[in-house]
Amino acid sequence: MSSERIDLVYLWVDGADPVWQAKRQAAQVGADLARYGNVAGRYRDNGELRFNLRAIERFFPQHGQIFIISDGQRPAWLADHAAVTFIDHHTLIPAQARPVFDAGHIESYLHHIPALSERFIYLNDDIFFAAPVEISDWFPAQGVAVHFETQRIPAASQLQQHETALINAAIFSRSWLVQHCPDAAAVPYILAHSPRAFLKSALWELEERAPELFAAVRSTQFRSWRVPPIMSDLVLRWLICQGKASAHLNDVLHISSCADDAGAQLARLQQEFGQRAFFCINDTCDDCDNDDPRLQHVSQTLAQLLPQPSCFEA
């Protein structure tokens, strides 16, 4: 098992692409849109993928194949490389469900990727490794490691229209697991913004056991507060309940690009880079201009931390 290939999977979108923009503008958003479910920051390409691959080359050179899922898009700077495979939406998502603008919908098909390894790690492009990767930190003897932060799940029993998808996903998971895994000890914390390790066979098993979960999340076009994502929360908690994963509590570095203390958060990243296992830089500037100085500060910081082009760049 220790020598088995570990693939990486990303979702990527260029929100400035006029063809993609036309698809988004033509789509019907709906009344159940989740909080921040259709803001520009959700789709904006701030160059994170370029720096993410630089971090992969530096900190995880033993990785397997890199799969990038996109809607007919490809970064202009990306070279043709044998280790990188693009997966277009049309190869995973049925025609009647496309176009899709909800990452929770798209990521529910990850285990359907042809030739994907049994053990793989899924990263949003704004979630980075920041120190040499120890395989046991993600795939310990008991399956996979699931990383939580110290924030507790709210006490609400129903999904909340004003809450983020992360919170609603945790509320939904708690309710579902009480019914389907009543004897398992619940983890009362929110999932961290971290790389997420998965077992492909376990995902297929859950889809066969609970197809209604996958059918529901695959019914969305934009992120809906009534239909939380399952890959980012429920699937991982279910793995713990099944004894296929272990829970780990983390001091998480989650940087919000437009927070009042974003400068201090980025300074902390610079101090801890190379020692911290992972971090997240979340675009919280929503519908601001793409050249907003706060976004430029993020790009400048990443360029300082990861200045060396990777083998994946043309």
Side-chain angles (χ1 to χ4, degrees), residues 119-120 136-147 196-199 236 239-240 243-248:
R119 299 188 299 171
F120 69 94
S136 59
D137 289 342
W138 306 98
F139 295 97
Q142 58 268 55
V144 303
V146 181
H147 296 271
R196 291 185 166 91
F198 289 104
L199 302 175
L236 296 164
L239 288 172
I240 294 172
K244 297 177 180 179
S246 53
H248 301 261

Side-chain angles (χ1 to χ4, degrees), residues 90-239:
H90 78 266
T91 67
L92 293 178
I93 303 172
Q96 63 270 22
R98 302 194 311 266
V100 178
F101 306 94
D102 177 12
H105 180 152
I106 301 165
E107 68 194 13
S108 74
Y109 287 99
L110 295 187
H111 52 299
H112 291 235
I113 294 174
L116 181 68
S117 61
E118 164 65 7
R119 299 188 299 171
F120 69 94
I121 296 175
Y122 168 49
L123 303 97
N124 293 332
D125 62 3
D126 60 358
I127 293 174
F128 301 77
F129 288 117
V133 172
E134 296 290 339
I135 300 301
S136 59
D137 289 342
W138 306 98
F139 295 97
Q142 58 268 55
V144 303
V146 181
H147 296 271
F148 293 84
E149 58 181 71
T150 55
Q151 180 184 353
R152 287 184 170 267
I153 303 172
S157 59
Q158 302 294 322
L159 299 180
Q160 304 294 307
Q161 185 173 4
H162 66 282
E163 280 291 6
T164 64
L166 191 67
I167 297 296
N168 273 332
I171 293 171
F172 175 73
S173 297
R174 179 172 56 196
S175 174
W176 190 90
L177 291 169
V178 165
Q179 298 178 47
H180 294 85
C181 305
D183 298 328
V187 180
Y189 300 104
I190 299 297
L191 265 292
H193 287 78
S194 75
R196 291 185 166 91
F198 289 104
L199 302 175
K200 182 174 67 174
S201 59
L203 293 175
W204 278 111
E205 179 185 347
L206 181 58
E207 185 170 0
E208 291 172 1
R209 286 193 187 188
E212 70 282 357
L213 284 175
F214 291 82
V217 79
R218 290 170 183 166
S219 69
T220 66
Q221 188 170 33
F222 290 88
R223 180 169 288 183
S224 166
W225 69 269
R226 295 187 186 277
V227 187
I230 59 173
M231 291 288 287
S232 59
D233 195 285
L234 187 145
V235 169
L236 296 164
R237 295 181 192 272
W238 176 80
L239 288 172

Side-chain angles (χ1 to χ4, degrees), residues 1 16 51-52 57 102 104 140 147 154 173 183 217 257-258 297 303 306:
M1 178 66 78
F51 293 109
N52 208 304
E57 184 175 72
D102 177 12
H147 296 271
S173 297
D183 298 328
V217 79
S257 60
C258 286
H297 189 187
L306 295 160

Side-chain angles (χ1 to χ4, degrees), residues 265-286:
Q265 294 173 355
L266 290 169
R268 180 183 173 192
L269 171 61
Q270 290 177 302
Q271 293 173 350
E272 299 179 359
F273 191 72
Q275 302 174 0
R276 171 172 289 276
F278 60 86
F279 66 94
C280 173
I281 300 183
N282 196 6
D283 184 345
T284 56
C285 291
D286 299 337

Side-chain angles (χ1 to χ4, degrees), residues 14 16 18 20 22 32 54 57 70 78 81 87 97 121 144 148 160 176 204 238 253 263-264 271 273 285 304 310 312:
D14 176 9
W20 182 91
D32 295 334
R54 291 184 185 184
E57 184 175 72
S70 72
L78 190 66
H81 196 289
I87 304 291
I121 296 175
V144 303
F148 293 84
Q160 304 294 307
W176 190 90
W204 278 111
W238 176 80
L253 180 53
Q271 293 173 350
F273 191 72
C285 291
Q304 291 169 2
S310 72
F312 307 110

